[in-house]
Amino acid sequence: MSKKDNLEFEKAYIPKDYEQKIYQKWESSGAFNPDNLNLSKNAEKYSIVMPPPNVTGTLHMGHAGMLAYQDILIRFHRMNGFRTLWLPGTDHAAIATQTKVEKIIKDEGLSRHSLGREKFLARVDQFAQNSHDTIENQIKKIGSSCDWSREAFTLDTTRNKAVNLVFKLMYEDGLIYRGERVVNWCPRCHSTLADDEVEYKEETGKLYWLKYGPFVLATARPETKLGDTAVAVHPGDKRYKKMVGKEYEIQGVLGKFTVKVIADRSVDPEFGSGAVKVTPAHSFIDSEMALRHDIPTKKIINEDGKMMENCGKYAGMTTIEAREAIVEDMQKMGLIDHIEENYEHKLSLCYRCDTVIEPLPSLQWFINVNKKTDSLDGKSIKEISTEAIKGGVFGKEKINIVPERFEKNYLNWMNDLRDWCISRQIWYGHRVPVWYKGEEIFVGESAPDDGDWVRDEDTLDTWFSSGMWTFSTLAENPDQMKIVDGKLKINSTDFKNFHPTNVLETGYDIIFFWVARMIIMTTYAIGDIPFKDVYLHGLILDEHGKKMSKSKGNVIDPLDMIVKFGTDATRLSLIIGSTPGKDIRLSEEKIESLRNMVNKLWNISRYIIQTIQVDDASIDKSSLTIPDKAILEATRSLIAEVSSDLKAYRFSKATELLRDFSWNELADWYLEATKFDNSTEKKKILTLVLKDLLKLWHPFIPFVTETIWEKFNSSLLLIEKWPSTSKYDNILGDFDDSEFYLFNKTKGIISAIRNIRAEYNVSPGKKIEVVIYAGEQTEFIRSQEMLIKSLRTGVEKLTIKECGNKIHNSVYISQNGIEIYIPLGSLIDTEKERIRLEKELIDTKKYLVSIEGKLKNKSFIENAPKEVITRERKKVESAKEKIQKTENFIKQLS
RNA sequence: GGGUUUGUAGCUCAGUUGGUUAGAGCGCCACGUUGACAUCGUGGAGGUCUCCAGUUCAAAUCUGGACAGACCCACCA
């Protein structure tokens, strides 16, 4: 190590001085790409396909957390010699991105229709490209060690090929069909939405009680009266029994119309008057009832959310305008019984633009989730996707969800799943690969040559393509994909090596949107599972437990935090204190405190590398001191625990152990001990421990550890071998286990002396005398003399004897059978000491009583395990001894 | 309405299969420039583990209930 290097070791770690350079070094090394690592052919495979961020803007804390978790797993496995692939990418996020661009061009006075499909799409592509570049840069800032050479986009040509092939496959299998059904329609997006793309919001409105022929019935939407074709009651409702099956003439605002009375179980007799008007065109439940009872459908609301031409003078009004107008007219006509104010109900909203959803009948493409098919061994999509979680499919083990409780969630959702509407009337996305010529339909990538085929105008639900993400990304080009025997075959090395992926790491909020869709698409198209494990992280909330949102102004931007406190601290703040599936609260203070942690590690390393220097020679067992053995044992157990924690996704536990080890065991005790204990082995031990510690920390805080590694090693920490416990087993194997914990006794004595000094306000510079009577432990305590005198105790004269007389004018401590006297002379306040000792005596006596009580209990002796009883007996002995010694001392105090 | 989940120090959270005189970080108080670190050190105060009942020799930990909060699904027209 040169002098120059030492000087470069700044007093504090300044992340921004290093992070960019370090990332470039990693990236240019090529080590993110497993093909470059000279791994043996038999190396175990490990793969994660990154959940692709939407190209709608920038990354937030949730993304940072997701990237941190995945990067930890990836770095851990890479260091463990796995052929490790982390494949990055972005999602075109059809509706979301289109909506965003529509807002932007609106400010320019443009609309997508005024621009036309081609020009509009060019604008969206441009926006998506910019977004992509920003996002890629941000993913790098977070330190993600993903393989950029394999980057994918859900809307690129390779992924488009997969979409077209799978669409065709499902169509030919009869699983994709076109049909006219009531769908969730967003009048603003001008498109359908899937059931789970609809959100609900509480609203206080009015409930209108209408005079409705022979009925009085309640509705929140009187304007839909124009589309009514029936009245429904519960089959068991005696009030209406005689009316079921009959037809009645109803007075409406546009004249009289006829409805049929039907009996249906879905009607709640407790609600309103127990009779409900049925509008099959504009309500899911009503449309289902209409199908069951063969009731006609009358559509009265169009795709703009406005009343249609069949609505007479109300035509062209929005539903809200029509409601007001119709209510006014009905009141005039005496058709309103009364109006109930403050009626609580829920509005359905579009999850992308918050517009009120209008259910209406529309001709759309659907995936049939209940149809049994030969290509799924005679099972339906719903059945196979359920079994994949329950017991496993295709001879594979079941997919594990962490935490397990979400499996139930998934299964419930799958059980209730209705046919999935996959067509969207937006422009940005994968175009439905269907062509029409008169009555003829052709499904395929391009139209047949004969004649005028017209392509379907619609695009596909964005989740249709992201549902294929785990396998479509493993194809390098479109030509590697083919349909063979009713399955999609991907002929690529990556697919062979890395599918199924090991773990899908994502937030629990998209388990239905995405996790379920991937299982559906992969089991169907590939005949395999997409991943073995699913690890679900929680949402990141602000310090008060509220969701972060721009409108609340409580957003913590990861990039701001990276600038302020560094990437490593930001990453740690998202890991520490988190448990799977549970939300985590984040505050700037938390990130700051972890910045301190990172800096502490920096300074530990600074001290070792700069002051102690490093020495890689092998350690001589015969000269190990008590603190040496303690730190070696602590390191051994740290390696074992961090490794097993990472295998079991216990991220937080691992970081807590690392923090406690670094700050307490190493910095506060061992490092301090080495300053005064000139063991010849300390350099070697510190070198060994520091190197392994940096390796263990590396997946969590890659930048600072790599930066430190550079100071004494030319290789990349990124691809260092993960530490093993065997080196420590070799060194420690010969020692008695109890030796590892002897250092705790020394620590206890030192802390006790410091405590008394502080309590008596002994000024820091003042030297004191200490007398210890250690009985059987005298020899051991003598070996610790140097440490007891040196570690900030200010002990000048230390006397260690087996036993001796009580010492007057001194503070007395009894600990682990050792008597400690600190003669403070005039500083002693006899009364204060008496109070302190008597309080301690009372506490110890209470403690003794409780344990003796246990031991006197016959059933305790009979039932408790032997080792518990022995432990309790030992407690009694030591408590008694302490009481006796303390009592004796109090007597002499006066 | 159905389901999930949480309630431990002022705050954020640990606490493996029941046996600890219940822990950490932040914050707070006192003292402090001792060969890395004031982004630091040393010491301290602070908890009837939400409440009630039960199981057990033994409950923060298991069971039931109450109270309070968070979330998800369904949805009433």
Side-chain angles (χ1 to χ4, degrees):
Chain A
M1 165 134 342
S2 72
K3 254 244 140 75
K4 190 172 164 287
D5 288 336
N6 288 348
L7 288 173
E8 278 172 8
F9 225 128
E10 300 289 337
K11 210 169 168 181
Y13 173 63
I14 314 290
K16 65 171 164 23
D17 291 351
Y18 304 98
E19 290 184 351
Q20 206 175 345
K21 274 184 265 172
I22 292 286
Y23 194 88
Q24 275 164 9
K25 190 173 166 185
W26 288 332
E27 210 182 349
S28 58
S29 78
F32 292 169
N33 182 342
D35 302 340
N36 297 336
L37 291 182
N38 289 324
L39 293 158
S40 98
K41 263 202 159 174
N42 306 324
E44 257 189 271
K45 321 285 193 295
Y46 189 85
S47 59
I48 298 177
V49 177
M50 184 188 292
N54 293 347
V55 287
T56 46
T58 55
L59 298 190
H60 52 67
M61 271 298 173
H63 291 114
M66 161 193 109
L67 293 167
Y69 283 114
Q70 289 171 35
D71 196 41
I72 289 165
L73 290 170
I74 289 292
R75 286 176 191 265
F76 173 65
H77 284 91
R78 189 187 289 121
M79 290 174 85
N80 273 289
F82 285 68
R83 181 178 295 277
T84 306
L85 173 66
W86 188 14
L87 197 153
T90 44
D91 193 324
H92 69 287
I95 292 187
T97 309
Q98 170 159 330
T99 306
K100 199 115 192 181
V101 176
E102 280 181 302
K103 272 183 194 155
I104 293 170
I105 62 172
K106 200 180 169 191
D107 294 339
E108 303 168 18
L110 299 169
S111 74
R112 66 163 154 143
H113 296 287
S114 69
L115 272 178
R117 189 162 190 147
E118 210 173 308
K119 280 188 182 167
F120 178 74
L121 284 179
R123 281 295 295 262
V124 181
D125 283 339
Q126 186 201 340
F127 174 86
Q129 186 60 48
N130 286 341
S131 252
H132 162 271
D133 296 348
T134 309
I135 287 167
E136 180 181 329
N137 187 33
Q138 289 176 322
I139 293 175
K140 290 179 176 177
K141 278 230 154 64
I142 287 156
S144 318
S145 62
C146 47
D147 179 12
W148 292 103
S149 73
R150 286 171 162 91
E151 193 193 349
F153 181 48
T154 54
L155 194 56
D156 60 23
T157 50
T158 308
R159 266 41 72 181
N160 183 244
K161 171 92 175 200
V163 164
N164 290 337
L165 289 176
V166 173
F167 187 99
K168 191 179 166 80
L169 197 58
M170 291 182 123
Y171 176 78
E172 286 173 355
D173 211 0
L175 287 185
I176 286 186
Y177 66 93
R178 200 179 191 213
E180 169 117 1
R181 299 209 341 213
V182 174
V183 295
N184 300 298
W185 184 267
C186 173
R188 203 227 51 93
C189 297
H190 248 253
S191 179
T192 53
L193 293 172
D195 292 342
D196 46 354
E197 288 174 319
V198 177
E199 282 180 351
Y200 296 93
K201 200 181 101 187
E202 287 278 355
E203 194 213 38
T204 307
K206 292 174 182 170
L207 187 65
Y208 303 87
W209 291 72
L210 313 182
K211 290 180 184 164
Y212 207 86
F215 303 94
V216 172
L217 47 78
T219 180
R221 299 196 60 186
E223 73 279 12
T224 60
K225 186 177 177 186
L226 301 175
D228 289 353
T229 51
V231 167
V233 297
H234 192 268
D237 197 327
K238 284 176 187 162
R239 292 172 291 181
Y240 304 113
K241 204 150 200 173
K242 284 179 183 165
M243 299 157 97
V244 173
K246 292 183 179 151
E247 293 195 346
Y248 291 92
E249 199 163 67
I250 308 292
Q251 179 66 51
V253 281
L254 294 175
K256 293 188 174 171
F257 61 99
T258 307
V259 296
K260 191 177 173 187
V261 180
I262 56 171
D264 195 284
R265 300 202 148 268
S266 67
V267 178
D268 176 6
E270 303 292 319
F271 184 87
S273 60
V276 53
K277 63 191 207 58
V278 181
T279 321
H282 302 289
S283 152
F284 284 94
I285 292 205
D286 292 5
S287 101
E288 280 164 20
M289 277 199 272
L291 278 176
R292 282 196 288 270
H293 299 278
D294 198 20
I295 300 293
T297 291
K298 186 184 173 196
K299 185 176 171 183
I300 53 159
I301 299 168
N302 69 15
E303 281 69 11
D304 296 323
K306 291 184 174 161
M307 306 309 287
M308 290 172 35
E309 282 171 14
N310 59 4
C311 295
K313 63 173 179 172
Y314 309 108
M317 291 184 185
T318 66
T319 51
I320 303 291
E321 287 162 358
R323 183 178 309 165
E324 285 169 10
I326 288 173
V327 167
E328 205 185 315
D329 291 346
M330 285 174 83
Q331 266 169 334
K332 281 180 198 156
M333 295 167 78
L335 291 173
I336 302 266
D337 188 80
H338 67 284
I339 298 173
E340 202 176 313
E341 305 280 339
N342 298 325
Y343 171 64
E344 296 282 339
H345 65 131
K346 278 179 185 165
L347 277 181
S348 332
L349 302 174
C350 171
Y351 81 134
R352 288 298 177 198
C353 67
D354 277 351
T355 306
V356 177
I357 293 301
E358 200 56 66
L360 49 80
S362 179
L363 185 62
Q364 301 291 340
W365 290 97
F366 294 89
I367 291 184
N368 188 330
V369 295
N370 290 306
K371 187 179 173 190
K372 294 176 196 297
T373 167
D374 288 346
S375 59
L376 289 175
D377 302 333
K379 289 171 187 151
S380 68
I381 280 177
K382 202 183 246 191
E383 286 165 341
I384 211 96
S385 303
T386 299
E387 282 173 28
I389 295 288
K390 262 191 173 165
V393 287
F394 311 119
K396 294 280 169 79
E397 280 186 32
K398 72 181 278 297
I399 299 171
N400 287 308
I401 300 186
V402 182
E404 210 181 321
R405 61 187 147 88
F406 282 97
E407 291 184 0
K408 208 173 170 181
N409 258 14
Y410 170 96
L411 292 172
N412 287 341
W413 183 84
M414 198 53 87
N415 188 46
D416 295 341
L417 186 64
R418 298 191 294 184
D419 284 2
W420 171 16
C421 177
I422 50 169
S423 47
R424 297 288 180 275
Q425 290 64 54
I426 58 172
W427 291 345
Y428 187 57
H430 291 279
R431 190 98 176 245
V432 172
V434 174
W435 310 78
Y436 307 99
K437 189 168 89 175
E439 295 292 296
E440 281 182 85
I441 287 185
F442 175 81
V443 174
E445 275 177 272
S446 49
D449 296 328
D450 60 321
D452 301 327
W453 290 87
V454 179
R455 186 158 194 178
D456 195 300
E457 288 289 314
D458 290 355
T459 52
L460 289 165
D461 180 4
T462 189
W463 303 104
F464 188 85
S465 55
S466 40
M468 303 183 202
W469 190 238
T470 45
F471 60 82
S472 69
T473 49
L474 294 172
E476 291 146 40
N477 61 61
D479 302 333
Q480 289 175 333
M481 286 179 281
K482 252 182 224 144
I483 300 293
V484 182
D485 299 332
K487 290 286 170 211
L488 177 69
K489 297 286 177 205
I490 301 178
N491 183 25
S492 75
T493 320
D494 277 358
F495 184 78
K496 280 182 205 106
N497 275 339
F498 298 117
H499 196 274
T501 61
N502 290 74
V503 57
L504 175 80
E505 195 289 329
T506 190
Y508 67 78
D509 52 331
I510 57 172
I511 183 165
F512 306 136
F513 280 128
W514 194 42
V515 179
R517 259 73 185 244
M518 284 195 282
I519 294 174
I520 289 174
M521 298 308 271
T522 310
T523 50
Y524 179 80
I526 303 288
D528 201 349
I529 51 173
F531 28 69
K532 294 165 190 160
D533 290 346
V534 177
Y535 179 87
L536 298 169
H537 60 246
L539 271 36
I540 293 159
L541 308 174
D542 76 0
E543 57 191 312
H544 306 293
K546 299 268 183 263
K547 272 190 183 177
M548 289 189 190
S549 73
K550 277 180 196 160
S551 56
K552 281 186 213 143
N554 61 348
V555 174
I556 303 178
D557 184 335
L559 292 187
D560 290 350
M561 294 303 108
I562 284 173
V563 170
K564 216 163 168 182
F565 302 113
T567 301
D568 293 327
T570 307
R571 286 170 61 129
L572 268 189
S573 74
L574 299 169
I575 303 300
I576 208 158
S578 73
T579 30
K582 246 185 87 180
D583 298 344
I584 181 170
R585 295 182 186 199
L586 184 67
S587 63
E588 209 169 309
E589 290 72 40
K590 183 176 181 186
I591 305 173
E592 187 181 359
S593 77
L594 291 161
R595 185 269 316 261
N596 298 352
M597 170 65 238
V598 169
N599 189 59
K600 187 73 185 182
L601 182 64
W602 172 265
N603 271 294
I604 289 169
S605 310
R606 180 171 187 249
Y607 176 69
I608 295 173
I609 295 170
Q610 204 171 41
T611 315
I612 306 282
Q613 300 285 320
V614 294
D615 184 343
D616 270 322
S618 68
I619 292 160
D620 173 15
K621 296 182 205 185
S622 63
S623 64
L624 297 185
T625 63
I626 299 290
D628 292 341
K629 289 172 194 167
I631 196 73
L632 288 166
E633 170 57 20
T635 312
R636 170 167 73 177
S637 99
L638 182 73
I639 293 170
E641 292 193 52
V642 170
S643 306
S644 66
D645 285 344
L646 281 179
K647 281 178 198 154
Y649 305 109
R650 289 187 297 259
F651 299 97
S652 182
K653 185 76 188 301
T655 51
E656 283 168 51
L657 289 171
L658 281 163
R659 180 193 58 195
D660 295 346
F661 174 90
S662 307
W663 212 311
N664 299 326
E665 304 285 341
L666 185 56
D668 290 348
W669 287 104
Y670 188 65
L671 231 46
E672 292 303 320
T674 61
K675 287 178 183 172
F676 307 100
D677 172 357
N678 279 319
S679 153
T680 52
E681 297 302 292
K682 74 178 177 189
K683 221 191 262 189
K684 297 179 201 167
I685 294 171
L686 280 172
T687 304
L688 174 67
V689 171
L690 176 64
K691 283 190 170 179
D692 280 350
L693 182 61
L694 289 171
K695 290 175 193 171
L696 293 174
W697 265 124
H698 183 257
F700 305 92
I701 46 175
F703 288 106
V704 69
T705 48
E706 189 75 75
T707 307
I708 296 166
W709 194 258
E710 268 187 345
K711 303 277 177 188
F712 63 92
N713 220 306
S714 57
S715 65
L716 272 178
L717 181 54
L718 173 74
I719 47 173
E720 274 292 319
K721 198 171 172 338
W722 188 255
S724 92
T725 53
S726 60
K727 224 182 284 176
Y728 297 84
D729 293 338
N730 288 338
I731 302 168
L732 294 169
D734 300 341
F735 297 110
D736 182 336
D737 280 12
S738 62
E739 287 189 72
F740 307 142
Y741 307 106
L742 280 175
F743 193 34
N744 289 337
K745 293 197 178 185
T746 313
K747 289 179 182 175
I749 294 168
I750 291 168
S751 297
I753 297 170
R754 287 169 177 171
N755 174 348
I756 295 301
R757 285 191 71 114
E759 240 172 76
Y760 274 88
N761 281 325
V762 179
S763 67
K766 189 176 161 62
K767 298 290 177 191
I768 57 165
E769 185 191 346
V770 172
V771 178
I772 298 176
Y773 298 149
E776 289 173 354
Q777 304 176 65
T778 307
E779 199 189 333
F780 164 69
I781 300 298
R782 282 200 177 127
S783 74
Q784 301 299 292
E785 186 175 348
M786 183 65 166
L787 288 173
I788 296 171
K789 283 170 90 169
S790 313
L791 291 184
R792 298 178 192 199
T793 50
V795 177
E796 191 170 41
K797 190 178 171 207
L798 179 61
T799 311
I800 302 165
K801 289 201 253 176
E802 269 184 50
C803 57
N805 295 327
K806 311 287 173 228
I807 296 170
H808 290 277
N809 285 327
S810 65
V811 180
Y812 169 77
I813 305 151
S814 166
Q815 193 184 65
N816 298 322
I818 298 169
E819 294 177 61
I820 305 168
Y821 294 89
I822 308 175
L824 290 175
S826 59
L827 282 174
I828 298 285
D829 178 335
T830 315
E831 205 41 43
K832 191 176 160 190
E833 264 309 285
R834 184 198 304 283
I835 292 166
R836 183 179 72 85
L837 288 171
E838 277 178 351
K839 186 177 175 294
E840 202 171 296
L841 196 59
I842 291 167
D843 289 348
T844 316
K845 278 181 176 169
K846 269 189 205 159
Y847 173 58
L848 180 64
V849 168
S850 79
I851 295 168
E852 279 183 328
K854 264 193 213 174
L855 286 165
K856 276 179 197 154
N857 188 333
K858 263 190 191 171
S859 15
F860 174 72
I861 303 294
E862 280 163 17
N863 295 307
K866 271 182 191 168
E867 66 261 27
V868 174
I869 298 172
T870 325
R871 205 188 310 152
E872 296 302 305
R873 289 206 168 117
K874 272 185 188 161
K875 284 181 191 169
V876 168
E877 274 173 46
S878 65
K880 276 184 175 166
E881 193 187 336
K882 186 169 180 176
I883 289 169
Q884 195 220 330
K885 286 181 174 170
T886 311
E887 274 176 344
N888 281 346
F889 190 83
I890 292 173
K891 269 183 214 160
Q892 302 197 9
L893 208 55
S894 46

